[in-house]
Amino acid sequence: MRSSVGFVSSCALILCALRLIDGVKGQRQCGETDYYYEYTECDSTGSRWRVAIPQNPGACTGLPEPVRGTECTFSCKAGEFLEMSAQECTQCAAGSYSLGSGIRFDQWDSMPPGFSSLATSLENTRYEEKGLSCNSSSWVPQGNYLESNRDECTVSLIYAVHLKKQGSVSFEYQYPDNNLLFEFFIQNDQCQEMDPSADTKWLKLTNHGEWATHTVNLKSGSNILYWRTHGVLMGSKVVKPVFLKNIQIEGVAYTSECFPCKPGTFSRAPGSSTCEPCPRDTYSGHGDSSCTPCNTTTQYAAEGSAVCKDRPPCSRKDYFQIHTACDHEGKTQVIYKWIEPKICLEGVTGAETLPPGGEREPCPPCNPGFYNNDTATCSPCPPGTYSDGKKLCKQCPAGTEPTLGYEYKWWNILPANMKTSCFNVGNSKCDSMNGWEVAGNYIQSGAGSSDNDYLILNIHVPGFKLPTSVSSHSGAEFGRITFEFETLCTADCELYFMMDVNRKSTTVVESWERTQTRQTYTHVLTTNASVSYTWAFQRTNQPSDLRRYVNDVARIYSISVSNALDGVSSGCRACALSTQPSSSMCVPCPPGHYIDSHTSQCTECPLNTHLVSHAAPGPDACKPCGPASRSDKDHSLCYSDCHFTHTEGNVTLTFDFSLLGSIGSLMNGPSFTSKGTKYFHHFNISLCGRQVHLAVCTDNVTDLSVTDSQREKGEGTNAVKAFICQSTLIPASGRGFHTALSSQSINLADMFIGATVENTLDGIRARPELYPQTTKKVPDVKFYYRSLEETSSCELGRSAVVTLRCNPEKTTKGEISVPSQCPAGTCDGCTFHFLWESSGACPTCTERDYHQIEGACKGGHQDLLYVWNEPQLCMGGVTLPEKKTLPCEGMEFWVRLGAGLGAFTAVLLISLTCYFWKKNKRLEYKYSRLVMSANKECEMPGADSCAVMEGENEGDMEDEVVYTKPSLLGKLKAIASKGNGEIYENVQLNSSHSKALVWS
C-alpha cells in the first residue's frame, strides 16, 4: 500500500513537471539557476525519479526531463554531499562540512528552520485575566545553545524529520535543577508516542556547568522530536533553566548541500565532516576556511570567537592573590597575579597596576593530621599516629585509637584530595585558571570568565571506616561533613552544596542565595559508600559574558570530614580493650554497647535507651527514650510499640494504636501555583514500629528505572525513608503526563521523641488551638518527631506532631488532616502538624464503659442487659457481658398481699373505733350518776370513805370513776392496766364539794 502511494505521488510529480513544460512554450530557456532537483518517493521496485523543480514557476521554459534517480539505498559518506546534476557524491568545499546521512544544529543565534517552541495552554481564564498565562514562555536561542523557560509552564521544543532508514538523534544538555522536569520523547505522524515506557524519556540531572550527551535510536519514516520542560512549584525561587546544544540527527538518505561553518569555526580542507573552533585571539565569519588573527595589542578573542573585542583597561577584577608555598625558612608571601588569559591593558588611562607582593610571613600551621619536619611542606602522619598540626606526630595512649578523617582550616595550598574547576554554560571550561583560590585563613571563589560561570570545588571520599569499637553498630552514622562558610553578594548569587553517592547522580543537598553570614552546616551520611562532595558558586543565573560582579564571593573557612577511609588522624578516640590480661588490643563492641571509660570494656546500654554514635564514650552516650517509647534490641533508635497509658486521678486509660494500621497517608489540596499548575502535598506517616516499618517517599521522575517494589522498600537513589515524609504530586490530567509525577521528596521525621498528652515535648510545641477539641472526656495523644537534617531555614531540623484523637464516628483506619490555617501542614516551614481522627484512637474498653439495664419480670423471670455508655469512647478491650436471666415474683402476688393487709387493717380500725365509742358511753353514764348523787338536796354529806359490801352494786362500780375529761393517753393506760389483771382504779374525783378519794 505504501509503495503504491509513493508510485502515484511520483507520477503526479512527473505530470506536474510536464504540464509546466507545456505551459511555458515560447518563454526563455531555463538556466541552471532557475530550477533545483528533487527526488520522488521510492516506488515498490525501489526506484525513484529525479525531477527539476522551477524556482519561480512560469518564469522560463525548457526544464530538464525527469530521469531515473539513484537507488533508494544510496547515501554519501561524511564530508560529501549528493550533487544532483550528476547524481554523484562530491566532497564539501573548504569552509563547509557534511555528515553524509545526517544533519547537525549547532548554531543558535536564531531558531533554525523546522524548529518550533510551543507553550501548553492551562485553559484557566482566571490566570489569563491576571496576565499569568504561558503565552510568553518559550525556548530562547542564546548563540551557542538554547535556553528553556524559567517558569512552571509546560513548553515543548518540536522538530519533525523524515528518515529514509533507521537512525538516531543525539544532543548535549545541561539539567542542574530538579525544580524543572525535563523529558525527551518521539511521536510518529499520527501523534502516537513511539516508546512511552522507555527509561530514556526522563533525563538525568547533570552537575552544575557540565554538559551531558543523550542518544536515542530512531525508526525510518516520520519522527517528531519533543524536548519538553515542566516547572515544579518554584514559588519565589528562581529556577535554573535547561540548556540544549549540538543536536545531531542520523538516518537521512543524503544531503544535497553542505553546511557552512558557523562563525568562530572553520574547516581548512575539503571533505570535512566537522568544523574546528578558532584558536584564541583569532576569529572567523560564516563559512570561512581559516581564522583571521586579532590585533593582540588592542584586541583579544576567546576560543571560538566570531569577532575580536577591544581590550579594556585593567581593573581589580583582572587579578587575584595567592600565597606562595612555604620556603625553607617557613615563610610565605601574598602575591598578586593576572587572571589568565590576560585580556586587559595596563598602560592606559584609568588602568590599575598589579599590586606589589606582601611581606614574607610565617607559614600557617599544618592542618590537623599533618606535621612539618622542618621542611617547606606538611606531610601526613604515619598510620597509628596523630597530630594537631604541630611538628611531631604522636602515638595514641593505651585504650585509645587514632581517628580518621580530614580537618582543613588552613589554606596555604589546595589539599591533594580536593580539586577546583570552572564551567561556563556555553562552553565546557572557563577561561580562568581555577574556580576557587586559597587565601590563608579561607578558600574563596575565583573570578571566572563571566558572571554566570559555575565555580566548582570538589572533595572525594572513597569510603568510610568506623572506629573499631563502634564498627558493628547497626543504624549508626558512618560519617559527617561539617563546613563553615559565608557569601558576600550584590547580585542574585547562589552557593550549592551537592553530593554524588557511588558516582550515580549528583543531587543538591542544600543551597543558599545571596549574602549569608558566617555559619556552619553539617550533613550526616548513614550509608557506607564512595561519596563526592561538591560546592558550586554562581554569581548570577542570568546569561552573561561579562564580569560585573567579580567582587561577589563565597568563602569556606573550614571543612571537616569524619571517618574518611583514606583520612589522617588529628586525635585519639577511646576504644574497648580485649578482656585478655595485659592486652592493649582494641576490639569492637556488640551493637548497643558503649565503652566504659573506667574499665575500657563494652557495656550494654540500659533498657529503653538509644546509643548516640558520635557522643563521647561513657554512660552519657546512651540517651533515654522519650515517654511511651522504647528502644530496639540494638539500641539504635527509639520507637513506639503502639501502646499508650494515661492516668488521671483514679482513672487509667489504655490505648492500642495498632488498629490504625502500619502507614497512614494524606494528600491535601489541591493547590495552584501562580501559573495555575495544580499540585498536591502527599504525606506518609509511620506511627509505630522499627526501621522495617518506616514510611517511604520516592521521586518517580528522575529515577524511572527503579521498580515499584524497590520504591516501596526505599531502595531508589531518590527515595526517602523516615517516620514521616512528604512528596509533591502533580496529577496526570491537564499536562499530558502518562502518570502522576512525584518529586521533591523530603524527610520530615527520622527520630521518634515520645508520646504524651502534654502540649510540649523536647522543645516541640503541639499548638492545640489548630485543632479545637469538642469533648474533654478522652484526651488527645500527641506523637512527637524530629528530623536530624538541618536546613537553611530550620537550624534544628524539621519536627512534626501527630495528634491522635478519639472519634467514634470515624473508621478504625481513620482520617488524617492538616490545620485549615496551614494547608501545607506547616505554618512556619519547620514544624508540621497532623490530626489523625479515628475510632481506633479511642482507649481500650473497660467495665466502666458499659452499664446494666434490668428488664421487666415476666412469667417469674427477669432479663439483665449490658449496653455501652453513649457515646462509646472506647475500642477493643473487654466485651459486653452476656444477657442474664434471673427468677422473680410477679406483680399479682404483691397486689394480693397488699389488698389482704389493707382489708385486715380496715377491720381492725373499725373494731377499735366501736370499742372506744362504747367505752366512752359507759364512762359518761357513770359520771352523770355520780354528779346527780353528789348534788341531792337535804342529804347530809357522806363520810369521807365508806365500804361497799361484796356484791353491792357490782355492775355500777365496775367502771366507777371521777371523770375530769381524761386524755387519750390516759384512756389507753387504763385499758392496758385492766388488761394486765388489775381490779382497782384510782382516779381523782373533781366536784364542787371537798375532794375525796373513792376506792373500789
PDB file of all heavy atoms in Angstrom, residues 925-950:
ATOM      1  N   TYR A 925     -72.051   7.767 131.338  1.00  0.00           N
ATOM      2  CA  TYR A 925     -73.206   7.401 132.158  1.00  0.00           C
ATOM      3  C   TYR A 925     -72.850   7.371 133.633  1.00  0.00           C
ATOM      4  O   TYR A 925     -73.548   7.914 134.490  1.00  0.00           O
ATOM      5  CB  TYR A 925     -73.760   6.044 131.700  1.00  0.00           C
ATOM      6  CG  TYR A 925     -74.825   5.483 132.603  1.00  0.00           C
ATOM      7  CD1 TYR A 925     -76.119   6.048 132.654  1.00  0.00           C
ATOM      8  CD2 TYR A 925     -74.544   4.397 133.449  1.00  0.00           C
ATOM      9  CE1 TYR A 925     -77.074   5.514 133.528  1.00  0.00           C
ATOM     10  CE2 TYR A 925     -75.512   3.881 134.298  1.00  0.00           C
ATOM     11  CZ  TYR A 925     -76.766   4.458 134.308  1.00  0.00           C
ATOM     12  OH  TYR A 925     -77.710   3.946 135.157  1.00  0.00           O
ATOM     13  N   LYS A 926     -71.756   6.761 134.008  1.00  0.00           N
ATOM     14  CA  LYS A 926     -71.344   6.666 135.396  1.00  0.00           C
ATOM     15  C   LYS A 926     -71.035   8.040 135.957  1.00  0.00           C
ATOM     16  O   LYS A 926     -71.325   8.338 137.100  1.00  0.00           O
ATOM     17  CB  LYS A 926     -70.124   5.752 135.528  1.00  0.00           C
ATOM     18  CG  LYS A 926     -70.423   4.294 135.250  1.00  0.00           C
ATOM     19  CD  LYS A 926     -69.180   3.437 135.400  1.00  0.00           C
ATOM     20  CE  LYS A 926     -69.489   1.982 135.140  1.00  0.00           C
ATOM     21  NZ  LYS A 926     -68.327   1.111 135.323  1.00  0.00           N
ATOM     22  N   TYR A 927     -70.410   8.855 135.158  1.00  0.00           N
ATOM     23  CA  TYR A 927     -70.071  10.185 135.620  1.00  0.00           C
ATOM     24  C   TYR A 927     -71.346  10.994 135.924  1.00  0.00           C
ATOM     25  O   TYR A 927     -71.424  11.700 136.936  1.00  0.00           O
ATOM     26  CB  TYR A 927     -69.228  10.889 134.567  1.00  0.00           C
ATOM     27  CG  TYR A 927     -68.888  12.314 134.927  1.00  0.00           C
ATOM     28  CD1 TYR A 927     -67.913  12.569 135.900  1.00  0.00           C
ATOM     29  CD2 TYR A 927     -69.552  13.383 134.350  1.00  0.00           C
ATOM     30  CE1 TYR A 927     -67.621  13.867 136.262  1.00  0.00           C
ATOM     31  CE2 TYR A 927     -69.251  14.684 134.714  1.00  0.00           C
ATOM     32  CZ  TYR A 927     -68.254  14.939 135.666  1.00  0.00           C
ATOM     33  OH  TYR A 927     -67.982  16.212 136.007  1.00  0.00           O
ATOM     34  N   SER A 928     -72.281  10.817 135.048  1.00  0.00           N
ATOM     35  CA  SER A 928     -73.527  11.575 135.275  1.00  0.00           C
ATOM     36  C   SER A 928     -74.216  11.094 136.552  1.00  0.00           C
ATOM     37  O   SER A 928     -74.793  11.890 137.311  1.00  0.00           O
ATOM     38  CB  SER A 928     -74.457  11.428 134.070  1.00  0.00           C
ATOM     39  OG  SER A 928     -74.808  10.087 133.865  1.00  0.00           O
ATOM     40  N   ARG A 929     -74.197   9.843 136.876  1.00  0.00           N
ATOM     41  CA  ARG A 929     -74.828   9.335 138.093  1.00  0.00           C
ATOM     42  C   ARG A 929     -74.102   9.866 139.314  1.00  0.00           C
ATOM     43  O   ARG A 929     -74.745  10.218 140.314  1.00  0.00           O
ATOM     44  CB  ARG A 929     -74.818   7.799 138.091  1.00  0.00           C
ATOM     45  CG  ARG A 929     -75.784   7.204 137.093  1.00  0.00           C
ATOM     46  CD  ARG A 929     -75.881   5.726 137.282  1.00  0.00           C
ATOM     47  NE  ARG A 929     -76.372   5.421 138.635  1.00  0.00           N
ATOM     48  CZ  ARG A 929     -76.464   4.209 139.120  1.00  0.00           C
ATOM     49  NH1 ARG A 929     -76.090   3.180 138.377  1.00  0.00           N
ATOM     50  NH2 ARG A 929     -76.936   3.981 140.358  1.00  0.00           N
ATOM     51  N   LEU A 930     -72.813   9.907 139.284  1.00  0.00           N
ATOM     52  CA  LEU A 930     -72.070  10.442 140.418  1.00  0.00           C
ATOM     53  C   LEU A 930     -72.418  11.881 140.647  1.00  0.00           C
ATOM     54  O   LEU A 930     -72.564  12.335 141.790  1.00  0.00           O
ATOM     55  CB  LEU A 930     -70.563  10.280 140.184  1.00  0.00           C
ATOM     56  CG  LEU A 930     -69.998   8.872 140.281  1.00  0.00           C
ATOM     57  CD1 LEU A 930     -68.540   8.868 139.869  1.00  0.00           C
ATOM     58  CD2 LEU A 930     -70.153   8.387 141.712  1.00  0.00           C
ATOM     59  N   VAL A 931     -72.514  12.611 139.604  1.00  0.00           N
ATOM     60  CA  VAL A 931     -72.840  14.040 139.749  1.00  0.00           C
ATOM     61  C   VAL A 931     -74.231  14.186 140.340  1.00  0.00           C
ATOM     62  O   VAL A 931     -74.463  14.987 141.241  1.00  0.00           O
ATOM     63  CB  VAL A 931     -72.720  14.755 138.391  1.00  0.00           C
ATOM     64  CG1 VAL A 931     -73.253  16.175 138.487  1.00  0.00           C
ATOM     65  CG2 VAL A 931     -71.273  14.758 137.910  1.00  0.00           C
ATOM     66  N   MET A 932     -75.141  13.411 139.831  1.00  0.00           N
ATOM     67  CA  MET A 932     -76.506  13.515 140.342  1.00  0.00           C
ATOM     68  C   MET A 932     -76.553  13.091 141.800  1.00  0.00           C
ATOM     69  O   MET A 932     -77.239  13.687 142.612  1.00  0.00           O
ATOM     70  CB  MET A 932     -77.438  12.622 139.500  1.00  0.00           C
ATOM     71  CG  MET A 932     -77.631  13.150 138.059  1.00  0.00           C
ATOM     72  SD  MET A 932     -78.621  12.025 137.103  1.00  0.00           S
ATOM     73  CE  MET A 932     -80.176  12.075 138.038  1.00  0.00           C
ATOM     74  N   SER A 933     -75.803  12.087 142.174  1.00  0.00           N
ATOM     75  CA  SER A 933     -75.809  11.598 143.536  1.00  0.00           C
ATOM     76  C   SER A 933     -75.193  12.599 144.475  1.00  0.00           C
ATOM     77  O   SER A 933     -75.628  12.784 145.605  1.00  0.00           O
ATOM     78  CB  SER A 933     -75.052  10.257 143.603  1.00  0.00           C
ATOM     79  OG  SER A 933     -74.795   9.888 144.912  1.00  0.00           O
ATOM     80  N   ALA A 934     -74.204  13.305 144.035  1.00  0.00           N
ATOM     81  CA  ALA A 934     -73.490  14.261 144.875  1.00  0.00           C
ATOM     82  C   ALA A 934     -74.291  15.515 145.075  1.00  0.00           C
ATOM     83  O   ALA A 934     -74.072  16.256 146.030  1.00  0.00           O
ATOM     84  CB  ALA A 934     -72.128  14.589 144.251  1.00  0.00           C
ATOM     85  N   ASN A 935     -75.239  15.830 144.247  1.00  0.00           N
ATOM     86  CA  ASN A 935     -75.955  17.097 144.311  1.00  0.00           C
ATOM     87  C   ASN A 935     -77.388  16.923 144.849  1.00  0.00           C
ATOM     88  O   ASN A 935     -78.223  17.809 144.672  1.00  0.00           O
ATOM     89  CB  ASN A 935     -76.010  17.738 142.927  1.00  0.00           C
ATOM     90  CG  ASN A 935     -74.621  18.226 142.463  1.00  0.00           C
ATOM     91  OD1 ASN A 935     -73.786  18.583 143.291  1.00  0.00           O
ATOM     92  ND2 ASN A 935     -74.436  18.222 141.157  1.00  0.00           N
ATOM     93  N   LYS A 936     -77.723  15.866 145.542  1.00  0.00           N
ATOM     94  CA  LYS A 936     -79.093  15.707 146.100  1.00  0.00           C
ATOM     95  C   LYS A 936     -79.286  16.638 147.283  1.00  0.00           C
ATOM     96  O   LYS A 936     -78.468  16.705 148.174  1.00  0.00           O
ATOM     97  CB  LYS A 936     -79.313  14.255 146.543  1.00  0.00           C
ATOM     98  CG  LYS A 936     -79.423  13.296 145.385  1.00  0.00           C
ATOM     99  CD  LYS A 936     -79.681  11.888 145.885  1.00  0.00           C
ATOM    100  CE  LYS A 936     -79.826  10.903 144.792  1.00  0.00           C
ATOM    101  NZ  LYS A 936     -80.099   9.536 145.273  1.00  0.00           N
ATOM    102  N   GLU A 937     -80.322  17.315 147.258  1.00  0.00           N
ATOM    103  CA  GLU A 937     -80.628  18.253 148.348  1.00  0.00           C
ATOM    104  C   GLU A 937     -81.137  17.497 149.626  1.00  0.00           C
ATOM    105  O   GLU A 937     -81.754  16.456 149.561  1.00  0.00           O
ATOM    106  CB  GLU A 937     -81.710  19.228 147.898  1.00  0.00           C
ATOM    107  CG  GLU A 937     -81.224  20.124 146.781  1.00  0.00           C
ATOM    108  CD  GLU A 937     -82.315  21.095 146.365  1.00  0.00           C
ATOM    109  OE1 GLU A 937     -83.411  21.057 146.935  1.00  0.00           O
ATOM    110  OE2 GLU A 937     -82.034  21.930 145.420  1.00  0.00           O
ATOM    111  N   CYS A 938     -80.904  18.169 150.735  1.00  0.00           N
ATOM    112  CA  CYS A 938     -81.382  17.699 152.050  1.00  0.00           C
ATOM    113  C   CYS A 938     -80.726  16.396 152.455  1.00  0.00           C
ATOM    114  O   CYS A 938     -81.276  15.603 153.220  1.00  0.00           O
ATOM    115  CB  CYS A 938     -82.918  17.525 152.100  1.00  0.00           C
ATOM    116  SG  CYS A 938     -83.816  19.082 151.719  1.00  0.00           S
ATOM    117  N   GLU A 939     -79.703  16.181 151.952  1.00  0.00           N
ATOM    118  CA  GLU A 939     -78.971  14.996 152.390  1.00  0.00           C
ATOM    119  C   GLU A 939     -77.726  15.453 153.071  1.00  0.00           C
ATOM    120  O   GLU A 939     -77.076  16.421 152.681  1.00  0.00           O
ATOM    121  CB  GLU A 939     -78.628  14.125 151.181  1.00  0.00           C
ATOM    122  CG  GLU A 939     -79.810  13.406 150.620  1.00  0.00           C
ATOM    123  CD  GLU A 939     -79.377  12.459 149.526  1.00  0.00           C
ATOM    124  OE1 GLU A 939     -78.154  12.305 149.290  1.00  0.00           O
ATOM    125  OE2 GLU A 939     -80.250  11.813 148.907  1.00  0.00           O
ATOM    126  N   MET A 940     -77.368  14.744 154.046  1.00  0.00           N
ATOM    127  CA  MET A 940     -76.170  15.043 154.811  1.00  0.00           C
ATOM    128  C   MET A 940     -74.984  14.590 153.996  1.00  0.00           C
ATOM    129  O   MET A 940     -75.024  13.593 153.295  1.00  0.00           O
ATOM    130  CB  MET A 940     -76.218  14.296 156.169  1.00  0.00           C
ATOM    131  CG  MET A 940     -77.340  14.793 157.067  1.00  0.00           C
ATOM    132  SD  MET A 940     -77.166  16.534 157.552  1.00  0.00           S
ATOM    133  CE  MET A 940     -75.766  16.393 158.643  1.00  0.00           C
ATOM    134  N   PRO A 941     -73.875  15.292 154.131  1.00  0.00           N
ATOM    135  CA  PRO A 941     -72.684  14.849 153.417  1.00  0.00           C
ATOM    136  C   PRO A 941     -72.250  13.484 153.868  1.00  0.00           C
ATOM    137  O   PRO A 941     -72.337  13.144 155.051  1.00  0.00           O
ATOM    138  CB  PRO A 941     -71.642  15.908 153.786  1.00  0.00           C
ATOM    139  CG  PRO A 941     -72.351  16.995 154.513  1.00  0.00           C
ATOM    140  CD  PRO A 941     -73.654  16.511 154.938  1.00  0.00           C
ATOM    141  N   GLY A 942     -71.823  12.739 152.909  1.00  0.00           N
ATOM    142  CA  GLY A 942     -71.398  11.389 153.225  1.00  0.00           C
ATOM    143  C   GLY A 942     -70.048  11.380 153.896  1.00  0.00           C
ATOM    144  O   GLY A 942     -69.359  12.361 154.033  1.00  0.00           O
ATOM    145  N   ALA A 943     -69.768  10.238 154.464  1.00  0.00           N
ATOM    146  CA  ALA A 943     -68.451  10.078 155.088  1.00  0.00           C
ATOM    147  C   ALA A 943     -67.376  10.169 154.017  1.00  0.00           C
ATOM    148  O   ALA A 943     -67.598   9.990 152.825  1.00  0.00           O
ATOM    149  CB  ALA A 943     -68.410   8.736 155.810  1.00  0.00           C
ATOM    150  N   ASP A 944     -66.166  10.446 154.546  1.00  0.00           N
ATOM    151  CA  ASP A 944     -65.036  10.557 153.617  1.00  0.00           C
ATOM    152  C   ASP A 944     -64.774   9.243 152.920  1.00  0.00           C
ATOM    153  O   ASP A 944     -64.256   9.213 151.829  1.00  0.00           O
ATOM    154  CB  ASP A 944     -63.776  10.997 154.367  1.00  0.00           C
ATOM    155  CG  ASP A 944     -63.929  12.448 154.857  1.00  0.00           C
ATOM    156  OD1 ASP A 944     -64.729  13.168 154.234  1.00  0.00           O
ATOM    157  OD2 ASP A 944     -63.189  12.805 155.780  1.00  0.00           O
ATOM    158  N   SER A 945     -65.094   8.197 153.556  1.00  0.00           N
ATOM    159  CA  SER A 945     -64.896   6.888 152.929  1.00  0.00           C
ATOM    160  C   SER A 945     -65.971   5.953 153.421  1.00  0.00           C
ATOM    161  O   SER A 945     -66.501   6.107 154.506  1.00  0.00           O
ATOM    162  CB  SER A 945     -63.500   6.331 153.257  1.00  0.00           C
ATOM    163  OG  SER A 945     -63.387   6.123 154.650  1.00  0.00           O
ATOM    164  N   CYS A 946     -66.292   5.035 152.660  1.00  0.00           N
ATOM    165  CA  CYS A 946     -67.280   4.037 153.021  1.00  0.00           C
ATOM    166  C   CYS A 946     -66.915   2.719 152.423  1.00  0.00           C
ATOM    167  O   CYS A 946     -66.226   2.651 151.435  1.00  0.00           O
ATOM    168  CB  CYS A 946     -68.683   4.478 152.600  1.00  0.00           C
ATOM    169  SG  CYS A 946     -68.840   4.682 150.801  1.00  0.00           S
ATOM    170  N   ALA A 947     -67.399   1.761 152.998  1.00  0.00           N
ATOM    171  CA  ALA A 947     -67.100   0.433 152.484  1.00  0.00           C
ATOM    172  C   ALA A 947     -68.271  -0.085 151.698  1.00  0.00           C
ATOM    173  O   ALA A 947     -69.418   0.174 152.057  1.00  0.00           O
ATOM    174  CB  ALA A 947     -66.788  -0.505 153.617  1.00  0.00           C
ATOM    175  N   VAL A 948     -67.991  -0.779 150.737  1.00  0.00           N
ATOM    176  CA  VAL A 948     -69.037  -1.380 149.906  1.00  0.00           C
ATOM    177  C   VAL A 948     -68.968  -2.866 150.148  1.00  0.00           C
ATOM    178  O   VAL A 948     -67.911  -3.488 150.037  1.00  0.00           O
ATOM    179  CB  VAL A 948     -68.814  -1.078 148.414  1.00  0.00           C
ATOM    180  CG1 VAL A 948     -69.907  -1.694 147.567  1.00  0.00           C
ATOM    181  CG2 VAL A 948     -68.769   0.411 148.186  1.00  0.00           C
ATOM    182  N   MET A 949     -70.016  -3.318 150.399  1.00  0.00           N
ATOM    183  CA  MET A 949     -70.085  -4.728 150.717  1.00  0.00           C
ATOM    184  C   MET A 949     -69.892  -5.518 149.427  1.00  0.00           C
ATOM    185  O   MET A 949     -70.188  -5.055 148.338  1.00  0.00           O
ATOM    186  CB  MET A 949     -71.441  -5.070 151.355  1.00  0.00           C
ATOM    187  CG  MET A 949     -71.649  -4.332 152.678  1.00  0.00           C
ATOM    188  SD  MET A 949     -70.388  -4.710 153.918  1.00  0.00           S
ATOM    189  CE  MET A 949     -70.771  -6.441 154.233  1.00  0.00           C
ATOM    190  N   GLU A 950     -69.405  -6.632 149.625  1.00  0.00           N
ATOM    191  CA  GLU A 950     -69.142  -7.516 148.488  1.00  0.00           C
ATOM    192  C   GLU A 950     -70.451  -7.833 147.793  1.00  0.00           C
ATOM    193  O   GLU A 950     -71.416  -8.205 148.411  1.00  0.00           O
ATOM    194  CB  GLU A 950     -68.461  -8.813 148.975  1.00  0.00           C
ATOM    195  CG  GLU A 950     -68.094  -9.696 147.824  1.00  0.00           C
ATOM    196  CD  GLU A 950     -67.368 -10.920 148.298  1.00  0.00           C
ATOM    197  OE1 GLU A 950     -67.057 -11.014 149.507  1.00  0.00           O
ATOM    198  OE2 GLU A 950     -67.073 -11.769 147.433  1.00  0.00           O
TER     199      GLU A 950
END
